[in-house]
Amino acid sequence: MTGSVNADTPARIPRWQTVGTRVIMLILRQWLLIGMGVVCALAYFFPNVAKHGGIIKSEYSVMYGVIAIIFLVSGLSIPRQKLFMQLLNWRLHLVVQIISFLFIPALVLAVVHIILACDPSRHIDRAVLAGYIFTACIPTTIASNVVMTRAAGGDDAAALVEVLLANILGPFVTAAWTVALIPKTAEFDVWRYGGGSLSSMYKDVFQQLGLSVLLPLFVGQLVRWTWPDQTSSVIQKTKLPKLASACMLLLIWTTFSSCFATGALQTLSVPSVIFVVFFNIGLYIALTGVCFFTSRPPKFLSPQSWSKAMPKSMPPEETIAVCFCGPAKSTALGIPLLYAMWAPIDLYTKAKTSVPVLLYTTEQICVAHFFVQLFRRWHARIIEKEDVEQGHQHEDEQQMTGTSMESRGILVGDGHERN
């Protein structure tokens, strides 16, 4: 009897195994964040491997090959009806592009002038301030916001359309807008009269946009149109969107390698480095909040008399896309444009000016990784709330139908009695 009882009783799992399993699962869930730390360390110790013009020729292998993989996956995953619908979504275009090209430059310019007024001793390097004005004027990043939007359960078609629109406008808007906003003081003359030629930059930027974004997107859509069921099945079985997330690690590796290879980050003053690191985090969080409340205006901000004039809240999926596209900035366009605009300036000054671009675009991915978790939970709660409301509405309709049937029966019964 004792033996049979012991045989039927399941063996207790040791506590250390349970704790170990939880730790492993936590690590697996945070694989992207851990991967960021690994590639940053590799970039620091071996910057010549993945820098621009380095051993792996990252300007081609990563900036073309890796980004092409990301947009091929997007082309295979997004239904064409969804893509065309977002192309006509004018409110989405206005919100994202106004925040990206107008609101952010205005905010950053105000901060720069505050620093100039409060820092006569020049503790913050003026190259960093010029770099921030430039960073504020460049368009949204090409790849990471599409990947993050998809991971958070947002509308990746909306993110993709905004990426294309912003990076087509960017080469024409950024250069003139940056020069117009540079402070009119002698210490910024070197950036205001850079004198670089942009013709080669335009060629390189649109070549990259065509080969690494538009062509893979078209190929992916063509495959999806031709074999829709088979494509959906392959995507579900192979988890291709995970591959797109892994590709972001290569983008971060390349960005940090170029930053460390120039030596600009290491030679900046300590106050400048501290300011850049923490200002980037605060700026990205604040801009995400602006994007969220612009997409879904809170009810307490719209009095009853204004409620009809206030724009309606965007769907949660589009809101997530706006929150990842609006605050983001692109090194793919930013770095080539910076070096083309200020070609006559010495390499060291250009490298220091590029630090805000390089660090902001890297930190935005790190911070966005946490926003993915928050938006995923928020989206799930919204969907659950809508399902509950629809269920209550369905129950109310059934009760009303039953009540009306009963009232009809009473009326019919009364009619018979009267007859």
Coordinates of all heavy atoms in Angstrom, one line a residue, residues 63 67 138-143 167 201 204-205 208-209 212-213 251 255 329-337 357-358 361:
M63 N 23.3 48.5 -43.2 CA 22.4 49.5 -43.6 C 21.6 49.2 -44.9 O 20.6 49.8 -45.1 CB 23.2 50.8 -43.8 CG 24.0 51.3 -42.6 SD 23.0 51.3 -41.1 CE 21.8 52.6 -41.4
I67 N 18.5 46.0 -43.0 CA 17.2 46.8 -43.1 C 16.3 46.2 -44.2 O 15.1 46.2 -44.0 CB 17.6 48.3 -43.4 CG1 18.2 48.9 -42.2 CG2 16.3 49.0 -43.8 CD1 18.6 50.4 -42.4
I138 N 15.8 65.8 -38.1 CA 15.9 64.6 -39.0 C 14.6 63.8 -38.8 O 13.9 63.9 -37.8 CB 17.1 63.8 -38.7 CG1 17.2 63.3 -37.3 CG2 18.4 64.5 -39.0 CD1 18.4 62.4 -37.0
P139 N 14.3 63.0 -39.8 CA 13.0 62.2 -39.7 C 13.1 61.0 -38.8 O 14.1 60.7 -38.2 CB 12.8 61.8 -41.2 CG 14.2 61.7 -41.7 CD 15.0 62.8 -41.1
T140 N 12.0 60.4 -38.7 CA 11.9 59.2 -37.8 C 12.7 58.0 -38.4 O 13.0 58.0 -39.6 CB 10.4 58.7 -37.7 OG1 10.4 57.6 -36.8 CG2 9.9 58.2 -39.0
T141 N 13.2 57.1 -37.5 CA 14.0 56.1 -37.9 C 13.4 55.1 -38.9 O 12.1 55.0 -38.9 CB 14.5 55.3 -36.7 OG1 15.5 54.3 -37.1 CG2 13.4 54.6 -36.0
I142 N 14.1 54.4 -39.6 CA 13.6 53.5 -40.7 C 13.1 52.2 -40.2 O 12.0 51.8 -40.6 CB 14.7 53.3 -41.8 CG1 15.0 54.6 -42.6 CG2 14.3 52.2 -42.8 CD1 16.1 54.5 -43.6
A143 N 13.8 51.5 -39.3 CA 13.5 50.1 -39.0 C 12.9 49.9 -37.7 O 11.9 49.2 -37.5 CB 14.7 49.3 -39.2
N167 N 10.9 59.8 -44.4 CA 12.2 59.7 -45.0 C 12.3 60.1 -46.5 O 13.4 60.3 -47.0 CB 12.7 58.2 -44.9 CG 13.2 57.9 -43.5 OD1 14.4 58.1 -43.2 ND2 12.3 57.4 -42.6
M201 N 24.7 63.4 -51.2 CA 24.0 62.8 -50.1 C 22.6 62.4 -50.6 O 22.0 61.4 -50.2 CB 23.9 63.9 -49.0 CG 23.2 63.4 -47.7 SD 21.4 63.5 -47.7 CE 21.1 65.2 -48.1
D204 N 22.8 59.1 -52.3 CA 23.0 58.0 -51.4 C 21.7 57.7 -50.6 O 21.4 56.5 -50.4 CB 24.1 58.3 -50.4 CG 25.5 58.4 -51.2 OD1 25.6 57.8 -52.3 OD2 26.4 59.0 -50.6
V205 N 21.1 58.7 -50.1 CA 19.9 58.5 -49.3 C 18.8 57.8 -50.0 O 18.2 56.8 -49.6 CB 19.4 59.8 -48.6 CG1 18.0 59.7 -48.0 CG2 20.4 60.3 -47.6
Q208 N 19.5 54.2 -50.9 CA 19.3 53.3 -49.8 C 17.8 53.1 -49.5 O 17.4 52.0 -49.2 CB 20.0 53.9 -48.5 CG 19.8 52.9 -47.3 CD 20.3 53.5 -46.0 OE1 20.8 54.6 -46.0 NE2 20.2 52.8 -44.9
L209 N 17.0 54.2 -49.6 CA 15.6 54.1 -49.4 C 15.0 53.2 -50.4 O 14.1 52.4 -50.1 CB 15.0 55.5 -49.5 CG 13.5 55.6 -49.0 CD1 13.5 55.3 -47.5 CD2 13.0 57.0 -49.2
S212 N 16.9 49.3 -49.9 CA 16.7 48.6 -48.6 C 15.3 48.7 -48.0 O 15.0 47.9 -47.1 CB 17.7 49.2 -47.5 OG 17.4 50.5 -47.3
V213 N 14.5 49.6 -48.5 CA 13.1 49.7 -48.0 C 12.0 49.4 -49.1 O 11.3 48.4 -48.9 CB 12.9 51.1 -47.4 CG1 11.4 51.3 -47.0 CG2 13.8 51.4 -46.3
L251 N 21.9 46.8 -35.9 CA 21.8 48.2 -36.1 C 22.5 49.0 -35.0 O 23.2 49.9 -35.1 CB 20.4 48.7 -36.3 CG 19.6 48.2 -37.6 CD1 18.2 48.6 -37.5 CD2 20.3 48.7 -38.8
T255 N 25.8 51.4 -35.0 CA 25.8 52.7 -34.5 C 26.8 53.0 -33.4 O 27.5 54.0 -33.4 CB 24.3 53.0 -33.9 OG1 23.4 52.8 -35.0 CG2 24.2 54.5 -33.5
K329 N 14.2 59.1 -34.1 CA 15.0 59.8 -35.1 C 16.0 58.8 -35.7 O 16.3 57.8 -35.2 CB 15.9 60.9 -34.4 CG 15.0 62.1 -33.9 CD 14.2 62.8 -35.0 CE 13.3 63.9 -34.4 NZ 12.6 64.6 -35.4
S330 N 16.4 59.1 -37.0 CA 17.1 58.1 -37.8 C 18.6 58.4 -38.0 O 18.9 59.5 -38.4 CB 16.4 58.1 -39.2 OG 17.2 57.3 -40.1
T331 N 19.4 57.4 -37.7 CA 20.9 57.6 -38.1 C 21.1 57.3 -39.5 O 22.0 57.7 -40.1 CB 21.7 56.6 -37.2 OG1 21.2 55.3 -37.3 CG2 21.8 57.0 -35.8
A332 N 20.2 56.4 -40.1 CA 20.4 56.0 -41.5 C 20.4 57.3 -42.4 O 21.2 57.3 -43.4 CB 19.3 55.1 -41.9
L333 N 19.6 58.3 -42.1 CA 19.6 59.5 -42.9 C 20.5 60.5 -42.1 O 21.2 61.3 -42.8 CB 18.2 60.1 -43.0 CG 18.1 61.5 -43.7 CD1 18.6 61.4 -45.1 CD2 16.7 62.0 -43.6
G334 N 20.4 60.5 -40.8 CA 21.1 61.6 -40.0 C 22.6 61.7 -40.2 O 23.1 62.7 -40.5
I335 N 23.3 60.5 -40.1 CA 24.7 60.6 -40.2 C 25.2 61.0 -41.6 O 26.1 61.9 -41.7 CB 25.3 59.2 -39.8 CG1 25.0 59.0 -38.3 CG2 26.8 59.2 -40.0 CD1 25.5 60.1 -37.4
P336 N 24.7 60.4 -42.7 CA 25.2 60.8 -44.0 C 24.8 62.3 -44.3 O 25.7 63.0 -44.9 CB 24.4 59.9 -45.0 CG 24.0 58.7 -44.2 CD 23.8 59.2 -42.8
L337 N 23.7 62.7 -43.8 CA 23.3 64.1 -44.0 C 24.2 65.1 -43.2 O 24.6 66.1 -43.7 CB 21.8 64.3 -43.6 CG 21.3 65.8 -43.8 CD1 21.4 66.2 -45.2 CD2 19.8 65.8 -43.4
V357 N 23.1 62.5 -32.1 CA 22.3 61.6 -33.1 C 22.6 60.2 -32.7 O 21.6 59.4 -32.6 CB 22.8 61.9 -34.5 CG1 21.9 61.1 -35.5 CG2 22.7 63.4 -34.9
L358 N 23.8 59.8 -32.5 CA 24.2 58.4 -32.3 C 23.6 57.9 -31.0 O 23.0 56.8 -30.9 CB 25.7 58.3 -32.3 CG 26.4 58.5 -33.6 CD1 27.9 58.6 -33.5 CD2 26.0 57.4 -34.6
T361 N 19.5 57.9 -30.9 CA 18.9 56.8 -31.7 C 19.2 55.4 -31.0 O 18.4 54.5 -31.2 CB 19.5 56.8 -33.1 OG1 20.9 56.7 -33.1 CG2 19.1 58.0 -33.9

